[in-house]
């Protein structure tokens, strides 16, 4: 499970870096249509992660072992951060 979580976080980090690199123009000059598409994909990903964070906090936060910075983890890595928090909570509950 730990390998899947870390691999998922790595994939999301690469996606974020690639989208920001394209928007910053680091990969060359883009036409307006391509730039708009990349900006739209980035906006969709941010909105999806915000919705995931809202759902997670509203429904699961009282039942989970919540640490400082978990909100940012969910925004950055989405479901893989949620899985890491879930795994941490399960390990904590099994230890007690």
């Amino acid at each position: 499970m730990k390998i899947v979580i870390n691999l998922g976080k790595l994939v999301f980090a690469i996606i974020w870096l690639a989208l920001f690199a394209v928007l910053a123009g680091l990969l060359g000059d883009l036409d307006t249509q391509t730039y708009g598409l990349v900006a739209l994909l980035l906006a969709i990903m941010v909105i999806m992660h915000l919705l995931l964070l809202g759902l997670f906090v509203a429904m699961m936060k009282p039942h989970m072992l919540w640490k400082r910075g978990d909100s940012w983890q969910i925004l950055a890595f989405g479901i893989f951060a949620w899985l890491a928090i879930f795994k941490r909570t399960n390990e904590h509950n099994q230890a007690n």
Side-chain angles (χ1 to χ4, degrees):
M1 180 70 147
K2 187 174 183 175
I3 293 171
V4 171
I5 291 170
N6 288 333
L7 186 62
K9 286 182 176 183
L10 177 67
V11 168
F12 264 104
I14 291 169
I15 291 170
W16 282 113
L17 289 173
L19 287 173
F20 283 119
V22 168
L23 287 178
L26 299 176
L27 302 177
D29 221 10
L30 299 176
D31 61 355
T32 307
Q33 194 173 21
T34 304
Y35 188 85
L37 178 62
V38 172
L40 178 66
L41 290 173
L42 186 60
I44 289 170
M45 195 159 84
V46 168
I47 290 168
M48 287 176 53
H49 285 212
L50 284 171
L51 288 172
L52 178 65
L53 177 62
L55 287 170
F56 186 79
V57 169
M59 294 172 55
M60 301 299 289
K61 186 176 177 180
H63 308 288
M64 295 293 206
L65 183 60
W66 194 262
K67 290 185 178 179
R68 185 177 184 167
D70 282 345
S71 296
W72 291 109
Q73 289 280 324
I74 293 171
L75 284 176
F77 303 117
I79 191 71
F80 295 103
W82 181 85
L83 288 172
I85 296 166
F86 187 71
K87 183 177 178 285
R88 180 178 63 217
T89 301
N90 282 344
E91 290 171 353
H92 177 73
N93 289 340
Q94 289 175 357
N96 289 337

